[in-house]
Amino acid sequence: EDKGYDIFIEFAKTIVNRYDFINFHIIGGFNEEDIDVSELKEKVKFYGYQNFDSLSSIFQKMDVLISPNKAFMLGKGAFDGFPLGTVVEAALNGVCVLITDELKQNNAFVPNVDLILIDSDIDSIVKNIINLIENPQKLYLISQNGKEKFIQVYSNETQMKPRIAILLNEIVETTK
C-alpha cells in the first residue's frame, strides 16, 4: 500500500492502449496475483526482489521510473525516506525519475531539472508521462541532469566526509 503499487497499475492500465511501445517493469515484492494485470498482457514484467548487482541490467531497459509512494499507509509515522534506494540506483543508471515527496524531504534536487515530482495519483502520473513522450528531449535532459546530480549527492565526498568529520570530532572530545 505504501509503495503506491495500486496507483502504478491503474496508471499502466490507463496508458497502455494509448501508446503501444510502453512496457512496465516491476521490481520488488509484487506479482500478478496482487492486482489483476491481465489487461497489460505481455507489457508487464515482474522481477521480484533484486540484489544490488542485478539492478543495473534491469535499469538499462528503462527510460522512466515511477515511484508513487504514500506516507503513513502502514501506520502512524510509517514512511519511506526520500528518495528510495531503488530510485537512487535508477537515477545513477540514467533513468528519469518521477517520484512523490509528500513529506517535503527533498533538499537537493531541482524539480523538472533533476527529477520530476508527482502526486501519488493516476492523473499526475499520466500528465507527466505524456509530457515526456511528447517532449523526448526533456526526458533525456532530465535523465542526464538527474544522473549527474545523484552522482554528486550520493558521492563518498558528499555522504561520508561530513560523517567522518563528526566521528573524528567525537573521538577527539572523548579522549580529552
Side-chain angles (χ1 to χ4, degrees):
E1 293 176 23
D2 65 326
K3 302 298 185 209
Y5 178 65
D6 56 334
I7 299 294
F8 178 78
I9 294 300
E10 287 306 311
F11 152 73
K13 290 177 180 179
T14 300
I15 202 138
V16 71
N17 292 321
R18 188 168 180 173
Y19 300 102
D20 66 350
F21 57 85
I22 293 182
N23 292 292
F24 306 96
H25 303 268
I26 300 172
I27 300 168
F30 307 103
N31 63 51
E32 56 277 344
E33 306 294 317
D34 295 318
I35 297 175
D36 180 19
V37 294
S38 59
E39 290 176 51
L40 301 175
K41 298 176 182 126
E42 70 281 348
K43 296 284 191 179
V44 63
K45 179 169 172 77
F46 291 91
Y47 294 90
Y49 291 110
Q50 295 293 309
N51 63 39
F52 175 79
D53 295 330
S54 303
L55 290 174
S56 182
S57 64
I58 294 170
F59 290 135
Q60 297 306 311
K61 303 170 191 168
M62 298 170 62
D63 295 306
V64 175
L65 181 132
I66 300 169
S67 182
N69 290 29
K70 299 181 260 186
F72 313 127
M73 295 298 293
L74 301 180
K76 185 177 181 181
F79 66 91
D80 289 320
F82 175 93
L84 296 175
T86 305
V87 171
V88 173
E89 194 59 32
L92 291 172
N93 278 277
V95 177
C96 180
V97 172
L98 280 73
I99 184 171
T100 58
D101 185 19
E102 292 179 345
L103 301 179
K104 309 292 186 233
Q105 294 178 315
N106 177 26
N107 62 5
F109 303 98
V110 179
N112 297 315
V113 173
D114 303 321
L115 49 71
I116 298 173
L117 292 177
I118 57 170
D119 295 324
S120 190
D121 65 58
I122 297 162
D123 292 337
S124 176
I125 299 169
V126 167
K127 178 187 81 167
N128 281 286
I129 290 295
I130 290 172
N131 188 344
L132 293 173
I133 290 169
E134 292 177 355
N135 300 287
Q137 286 305 107
K138 180 178 182 178
L139 168 69
Y140 298 123
L141 184 60
I142 293 173
S143 297
Q144 187 58 43
N145 289 343
K147 181 177 181 176
E148 292 170 10
K149 185 64 164 246
F150 274 81
I151 288 171
Q152 175 191 347
V153 169
Y154 291 98
S155 70
N156 281 337
E157 181 74 17
T158 303
Q159 292 290 314
M160 298 308 293
K161 190 173 181 180
R163 295 172 194 197
I164 291 169
I166 289 170
L167 291 172
L168 288 174
N169 187 53
E170 287 299 313
I171 292 168
V172 168
E173 291 297 318
T174 58
T175 58
K176 286 185 180 178

